[in-house]
Amino acid sequence: NGQMRTTYSKQVRVSWLLYVSLCCFGCVVVYLMMFSSLKLTETNEIPRMAALNQTHSDYPAPTSSSIPIQSIPPRLTVNSSVSSDLPLYHAAPERLVVVSVKSAQDAHWIAQISLPHILYLDSQQQTATQSTSFFLHIQPQTKTEVPAFLRFIIDYYDNLPRNVGFVNAETVTWKHSIPKYKFIKDLKWGDHSFFYLDYATFKRLYAMGTQERESFELFWEQSGFIYTIGPTPAYINTYLGGEFVVKKQRILLRSKQFYESLLSWFLNQQSLSEEVAANILRAVWAVIFGESASASAYAEGKCHVLVCRRP
């Protein structure tokens, strides 16, 4: 009986070992089959995604009146010590000031900006400032700041700062006596998704029946906004000046192709004068970045834009 029990115990152990071995072998086989299946799926997915990328667009199907995307003027980096590869900063800063420089004489205050900043310099200008804490780009020779602002968004679309301020290089802010470097420092960075720097002049523009309405409707259709944003608004409630602060998330509401198309249209269109097209864009930046065309004036006025120090 003792011998039989010993033999039976050995048989049970051997059976368990065989069972465990078969289970392990089965698990290995299943894992290998799943791994092979995943690799096959991944291999098949690559050409499928490539095909989707070729055909996918953020825009509705083109029509006969759509404006084709034309070639964008090249970006040139004039700092020889800076790589021409984007992005030029290794990590996107929390706040960044983008300055459009049309005249070197207007740019002496830029060295006093305490925040990271990038200059987009008119191609005719040679130098802008003695500051070395910035990256310098050449923008197409134009009369307005609009191409510089759009060029920055295109250049840094994949590595945008959390908050971006877009300003001109005039010494003082539009219709305000505060030096611009101090004005920029006192802005309510991060408090709002979008706001214009000018808090004093709020107007309703391009309403039906006004002289500017025809130009506005022409702009809205030919720029492609009628397809990418929606029907032409009945009017635009806006602040003047065209300088603003916007959050990264609001810029990313539109695709990179949207900004490329808009810049191409602005530089190549001949239906409107550059100044008229720029004035309309200054009024509709807010709409581009997700604000309502019928927005109300800032309830806090100056304190909506600037940090108001209470006594």
Side-chain angles (χ1 to χ4, degrees):
N1 288 338
Q3 242 178 351
M4 290 178 63
R5 282 196 296 270
T6 302
T7 302
Y8 177 75
S9 177
K10 287 181 178 179
Q11 288 176 344
V12 169
R13 285 199 296 271
V14 169
S15 297
W16 272 107
L17 284 172
L18 286 172
Y19 176 76
V20 172
S21 299
L22 286 171
C23 287
C24 292
F25 179 75
C27 290
V28 171
V29 170
V30 171
Y31 173 79
L32 290 174
M33 291 176 64
M34 291 177 63
F35 180 77
S36 299
S37 176
L38 286 172
K39 291 294 290 182
L40 181 61
T41 302
E42 183 182 23
T43 303
N44 293 334
E45 186 74 3
I46 291 173
R48 189 181 77 86
M49 290 304 296
L52 283 175
N53 288 336
Q54 288 179 351
T55 57
H56 174 73
S57 172
D58 290 336
Y59 299 91
T63 66
S64 58
S65 58
S66 297
I67 303 300
I69 297 176
Q70 301 170 5
S71 59
I72 308 299
R75 179 195 58 82
L76 302 176
T77 303
V78 298
N79 279 17
S80 59
S81 61
V82 177
S83 169
S84 60
D85 296 329
L86 292 172
L88 296 181
Y89 44 73
H90 296 292
E94 178 76 15
R95 305 169 182 175
L96 183 76
V97 182
V98 179
V99 187
S100 173
V101 180
K102 306 305 295 181
S103 170
Q105 290 77 15
D106 289 335
H108 65 274
W109 62 272
I110 293 172
Q112 297 174 283
I113 297 178
S114 58
L115 298 173
H117 51 284
I118 288 179
L119 308 187
Y120 277 77
L121 185 66
D122 190 289
S123 58
Q124 284 192 327
Q125 301 299 323
Q126 298 299 316
T127 59
T129 173
Q130 298 302 312
S131 170
T132 58
S133 60
F134 63 88
F135 295 115
L136 187 62
H137 299 261
I138 294 292
Q139 62 167 312
Q141 183 183 346
T142 61
K143 299 176 182 178
T144 71
E145 77 290 344
V146 166
F149 292 176
L150 289 170
R151 185 75 260 178
F152 167 81
I153 293 173
I154 295 165
D155 284 347
Y156 293 89
Y157 187 86
D158 297 318
N159 194 23
L160 289 165
R162 186 170 297 180
N163 300 278
V164 190
F166 292 86
V167 301
N168 291 316
E170 289 85 357
T171 304
V172 296
T173 57
W174 195 79
K175 285 196 173 181
H176 306 300
S177 58
I178 307 172
K180 183 160 283 186
Y181 73 89
K182 185 177 185 302
F183 191 88
I184 290 171
K185 180 181 177 181
D186 291 342
L187 288 172
K188 280 190 171 180
W189 290 92
D191 279 24
H192 309 287
S193 296
F194 175 91
F195 62 88
Y196 282 110
L197 269 59
D198 175 36
Y199 51 80
T201 312
F202 184 77
K203 286 190 173 183
R204 173 167 293 185
L205 301 176
Y206 310 116
M208 304 291 286
T210 60
Q211 291 182 344
E212 299 84 7
R213 180 68 188 184
E214 183 178 349
S215 296
F216 180 67
E217 290 180 346
L218 185 64
F219 167 93
W220 202 266
E221 180 178 356
Q222 292 197 355
S223 66
F225 281 15
I226 195 169
Y227 308 110
T228 56
I229 295 180
T232 310
Y235 55 85
I236 297 287
N237 284 348
T238 187
Y239 285 89
L240 303 183
E243 298 175 292
F244 53 90
V245 171
V246 61
K247 282 186 175 295
K248 170 183 177 178
Q249 293 88 336
R250 289 296 189 90
I251 296 176
L252 297 180
L253 286 176
R254 312 292 176 192
S255 68
K256 185 175 182 180
Q257 186 185 22
F258 170 90
Y259 298 108
E260 290 174 338
S261 180
L262 181 56
L263 176 59
S264 178
W265 174 84
F266 185 88
L267 293 175
N268 293 284
Q269 65 86 27
Q270 298 179 348
S271 302
L272 302 169
S273 71
E274 181 183 337
E275 192 60 34
V276 168
N279 281 336
I280 296 174
L281 259 177
R282 290 166 185 147
V284 302
W285 282 125
V287 177
I288 291 173
F289 297 126
E291 298 289 297
S292 171
S294 57
S296 302
Y298 301 148
E300 296 177 283
K302 175 181 178 180
C303 296
H304 183 93
V305 174
L306 298 172
V307 175
C308 292
R309 295 173 176 82
R310 308 297 180 185

